[in-house]
Amino acid sequence: DAKTTQPTSMDCAEGRAANLPCNHSTISGNEYVYWYRQIHSQGPQYIIHGLKNNETNEMASLIITEDRKSSTLILPHATLRDTAVYYCIVRVAGLSGSARQLTFGSGTQLTVLP
Amino acid sequence: EAQVTQNPRYLITVTGKKLTVTCSQNMNHEYMSWYRQDPGLGLRQIYYSMNVEVTDKGDVPEGYKVSRKEKRNFPLILESPSPNQTSLYFCASSSDRVGEKLFFGSGTQLSVL
């Protein structure tokens, strides 16, 4: 699976959009981009995933560049409860011969400031 | 409410005393998995199961056992715990068979003295 690079930490003002970048320059054509977050010591929470098109759900939007080498997770109106570590993960979807695990890296610590 | 339930939340034990951490999900998910989380090492998969009676090793299976006799339960067994198994453990399940959209439990903080 392709390796991802994320900033170690970011701050965002409450009520503003939080834009979390992720670089995955070695991504291959059949690899999806997944985002999870982990609020301190709780279990990680799935946010969103996509292949090449931009995706949006009730939690966030995922913008993937045309060359797919990077993506941005957008939380449109950040709240204090969005303070968490955000993980960007790249992985081949589907069976592909075996159940491939999601590899969680170090992620980005997002702190939403009042 | 859809959830993954782990028990206990906290556990302190001594080296060599067998223990079991239970995990149960009420979403009829086929895929279940165990992770451990350690500072500086992130989340690492211990074992996973794609269905009843089907289990396989993850990245760090040594010292652990699992079983999947029923769809909803996936216990993690430490036959002879050692201090290097002190960690925060998470159970997860997924409706897809390869664990793409994982639902995690609240975690079990284990300390082995």
Side-chain angles (χ1 to χ4, degrees):
Chain A
D1 294 333
K3 183 179 177 180
T4 62
T5 304
Q6 299 177 253
T8 303
S9 64
M10 293 181 64
D11 292 340
C12 175
E14 189 177 19
R16 303 295 295 270
N19 297 282
L20 294 98
C22 179
N23 282 316
H24 31 80
S25 58
T26 59
I27 193 170
S28 51
N30 60 349
E31 288 181 311
Y32 282 68
V33 180
Y34 295 80
W35 283 85
Y36 280 75
R37 73 180 183 183
Q38 185 175 23
I39 297 169
H40 181 63
S41 293
Q42 296 182 20
Q45 177 188 23
Y46 166 85
I47 302 173
I48 199 167
H49 77 284
L51 181 63
K52 57 176 76 174
N53 298 321
N54 298 337
E55 302 286 346
T56 296
N57 62 21
E58 65 279 1
M59 288 184 69
S61 295
L62 174 60
I63 309 297
I64 303 174
T65 58
E66 192 168 342
D67 62 8
R68 303 209 323 121
K69 293 180 184 242
S70 66
S71 60
T72 301
L73 178 75
I74 302 172
L75 308 178
H77 305 286
T79 71
L80 298 179
R81 288 177 293 180
D82 291 322
T83 292
V85 177
Y86 286 77
Y87 299 98
C88 170
I89 303 161
V90 173
R91 206 200 87 160
V92 176
L95 281 175
S96 299
S98 65
R100 301 290 299 277
Q101 68 168 333
L102 288 168
T103 300
F104 290 79
S106 302
T108 296
Q109 171 66 58
L110 174 69
T111 302
V112 180
L113 304 171
Chain B
E1 180 189 353
Q3 59 186 355
V4 176
T5 303
Q6 292 178 231
N7 280 297
R9 180 72 179 91
Y10 300 96
L11 179 58
I12 300 174
T13 189
V14 295
T15 298
K17 185 176 182 182
K18 181 179 178 179
L19 66 90
T20 299
V21 183
T22 64
C23 174
S24 179
Q25 50 92 6
N26 62 359
M27 297 169 278
N28 201 36
H29 285 171
E30 291 188 348
Y31 180 96
M32 298 186 73
S33 178
W34 277 102
Y35 283 83
R36 61 177 288 175
Q37 186 170 31
D38 303 288
L41 296 176
L43 277 150
R44 295 178 292 169
Q45 192 182 53
I46 303 170
Y47 269 94
Y48 65 90
S49 169
M50 294 174 69
N51 213 330
V52 175
E53 302 292 1
V54 180
T55 63
D56 209 345
K57 297 176 180 178
D59 271 352
V60 287
E62 294 78 21
Y64 304 94
K65 287 176 60 177
V66 293
S67 68
R68 190 88 182 275
K69 293 183 171 52
E70 311 166 272
K71 200 172 194 178
R72 63 183 294 129
N73 295 323
F74 191 44
L76 179 69
I77 303 157
L78 284 72
E79 295 268 2
S80 181
S82 62
N84 64 11
Q85 293 179 299
T86 292
S87 186
L88 179 58
Y89 291 86
F90 290 103
C91 179
S93 72
S94 177
S95 58
D96 62 84
R97 294 189 66 222
V98 293
E100 292 175 343
K101 292 174 63 175
L102 292 166
F103 289 84
F104 281 83
S106 299
T108 296
Q109 179 63 59
L110 171 66
S111 296
V112 183
L113 306 178

